[in-house]
Amino acid sequence: MFFCACFTAKPIANPNKTTTKMAKYVLEYLWLDGYTPVPNIRGKSQVKEFASFPKLEQLPEWGFDGSSTQQAPGGSSDCVLKPVAIYPDTTRRNGAIVMCEVMMPDGTPHPSNARATILDDEGAWFGFEQEYFLVQDGKPLGFPQDGYPAPQGPYYCGVGYKNVGDIARTIVNEHLDLCIDAGINHEGINAEVAKGQWEFQIFGKGSKSAADQIWVARYLLNRLCEKYGIDVDYHCKPIKGDWNGSGMHANFSTAYLREKGGKAYFEALMAKFAENVAEHIAVYGPDNHLRLTGLHETQSIDKFSYGVADRGASIRVPHSFVKDGKYQGYLEDRRPNSQGDPYQIASRILKTISEVPLP
Ligand code: ADP
Ligand code: MN
Ligand code: MN
Ligand code: MN
């Protein structure tokens, strides 16, 4: 009898209950520091256990030393990292990249947190065209140690060693794969007008998505280049003279622009952009006067203009926009430069749009 009681007291396994096997995930938390006029991307890793690739809601907040990033005084240095987007990182076993907003300990956005200033709008879409130079030993790839390579002309979408060198294409293709693996809405790449200059394009639906993805794509590019001993120069005019600068054209649309539009609304919108030139230029990246000269497919920094298919205008209006007199679709603001913070750029564009009453 005694034996029997002992036997029945043992817990009976529930056949419906499956045991979850936990695995360790390496989470790279990214955030923007407090440097001005443009922030830098920072990242650090933490290891956490999950049953499967974590969802955003499962990610804990984390902290960092804001006194090392120009975001807090040493005496009260803790800043909070609030996860806002997660991407797989195939370069690491069970790896993930976690884009974060920087918050104050009381839960309000840190003053450096430009993402928090972007109006929430699911109907807002952005497409950014990020241009940049790959540099080694202080020179764009393919520039001789003294002097200059052959003038611009053959490099744009060029092929062959004399046009793109021996390593750049390996890097940009690897970067493209990394972005696609991360689920980034990467749209394509091209060799640009200057030697050593490249572009990638990223598109996102929702007011913050494309900007998040640009920052993660910049991070992936910078990190990838480490192993080649190469740096990415995002400055908008790294080489003086007859060499193209780097931009980050901001293509944008709202649900109203795509679905209703119309000439009167478009003209009211452009009048509002014209009123806010200084406010826009203030967040379109540093040293933009060196790039927006009126040459090299740009408008001068002190002028505002728009035009159909006009690459010398501040805002280029695609042919598709004016087709059949509809004034519907997206517009391209050509002024933002390669070093601009896409959060600040998206925030300003949507603010100006919000100041125009809908008919
Ligand atoms: P170009 O170099 O001629 O300016 P690209 O093809 O490099 O043109 O870039 C065009 C950009 O416009 C892409 O990033 C694309 O995502 C973006 N775009 C296209 N349609 C829309 C839209 N409806 N709203 C916002 N952006 C858009
Ligand atoms: Mn382009
Ligand atoms: Mn370009
Ligand atoms: Mn463009």
Side-chain angles (χ1 to χ4, degrees):
M1 283 310 282
F2 175 70
F3 174 75
C4 197
C6 216
F7 181 75
T8 51
K10 259 184 137 182
I12 298 164
N14 178 356
N16 297 323
K17 200 177 158 207
T18 50
T19 41
T20 36
K21 201 159 171 288
M22 303 293 272
K24 288 187 192 295
Y25 282 78
V26 186
L27 310 173
E28 184 75 20
Y29 275 45
L30 301 186
W31 74 96
L32 299 184
D33 67 18
Y35 281 66
T36 56
V38 276
N40 305 287
I41 189 107
R42 307 271 183 148
K44 60 172 181 164
S45 306
Q46 67 175 337
V47 179
K48 293 271 171 210
E49 286 198 347
F50 297 97
S52 57
F53 190 81
K55 292 188 173 38
L56 185 60
E57 310 80 71
Q58 293 174 276
L59 299 172
E61 292 193 340
W62 199 15
F64 68 97
D65 165 17
S67 71
S68 298
T69 59
Q70 302 201 352
Q71 280 161 310
S76 175
S77 65
D78 291 358
C79 291
V80 176
L81 292 174
K82 178 181 138 196
V84 294
I86 180 165
Y87 310 84
D89 180 356
T90 50
T91 66
R92 294 169 120 174
R93 191 156 51 94
N94 289 339
I97 290 171
V98 178
M99 192 66 205
C100 297
E101 281 191 26
V102 177
M103 311 301 282
M104 303 296 284
D106 69 4
T108 58
H110 188 275
S112 66
N113 179 352
R115 189 183 188 275
T117 71
I118 303 175
L119 294 170
D120 280 311
D121 181 355
E122 280 306 306
W125 299 354
F126 284 95
F128 293 108
E129 302 167 57
Q130 173 76 66
E131 294 176 340
Y132 61 94
F133 281 82
L134 293 174
V135 298
Q136 198 165 35
D137 304 326
K139 296 234 169 209
L141 285 192
F143 271 55
Q145 218 33 58
D146 299 304
Y148 296 90
Q152 293 186 162
Y155 308 128
Y156 172 74
C157 298
V159 62
Y161 173 74
K162 70 175 185 300
N163 290 327
V164 294
D166 54 358
I167 194 67
R169 199 182 297 281
T170 306
I171 294 174
V172 299
N173 285 343
E174 229 179 292
H175 178 243
L176 174 65
D177 288 344
L178 284 177
C179 287
I180 290 173
D181 287 349
I184 286 175
N185 204 356
H186 196 303
E187 294 190 304
I189 46 184
N190 61 273
E192 265 303 336
V193 175
K195 193 160 199 183
Q197 191 185 30
W198 292 83
E199 167 178 317
F200 62 83
Q201 304 102 28
I202 283 175
F203 172 77
K205 293 183 177 178
S207 51
K208 301 175 186 186
S209 166
D212 284 337
Q213 295 179 61
I214 282 282
W215 274 117
V216 175
R218 285 179 179 178
Y219 169 82
L220 289 171
L221 182 60
N222 293 359
R223 196 182 67 178
L224 170 66
C225 284
E226 290 169 359
K227 71 176 177 192
Y228 294 103
I230 286 170
D231 270 305
V232 187
D233 193 344
Y234 294 98
H235 192 270
C236 71
K237 191 74 180 178
I239 332 156
K240 303 262 175 335
D242 204 8
W243 295 92
N244 273 37
S246 297
M248 188 173 65
H249 298 163
N251 301 273
F252 62 91
S253 64
T254 57
Y256 191 87
L257 270 169
R258 291 189 303 274
E259 290 154 22
K260 297 269 191 315
K263 192 166 189 223
Y265 177 70
F266 167 72
E267 283 174 352
L269 191 60
M270 289 302 96
K272 193 54 85 180
F273 270 79
E275 256 174 53
N276 285 295
V277 168
E279 289 79 359
H280 280 253
I281 293 295
V283 297
Y284 279 3
D287 299 330
N288 223 356
H289 60 285
L290 299 174
R291 164 180 167 261
L292 298 179
T293 56
L295 302 171
H296 303 115
E297 302 178 38
T298 68
Q299 174 57 287
S300 308
I301 195 163
D302 51 359
K303 296 206 180 92
F304 177 81
S305 67
Y306 58 89
V308 176
D310 186 354
R311 286 168 195 269
S314 316
I315 290 191
R316 178 176 67 88
V317 182
H319 278 296
S320 57
F321 189 88
V322 289
K323 199 167 164 270
D324 305 326
K326 283 189 168 159
Y327 292 79
Q328 267 176 13
Y330 75 97
L331 297 165
E332 179 188 44
D333 194 333
R334 299 177 61 79
R335 298 169 296 170
N337 80 31
S338 42
Q339 223 184 350
D341 171 6
Y343 291 141
Q344 296 177 43
I345 295 165
S347 177
R348 183 61 240 183
I349 288 175
L350 292 181
K351 185 166 194 300
T352 296
I353 293 175
S354 76
E355 289 167 5
V356 181
L358 297 178

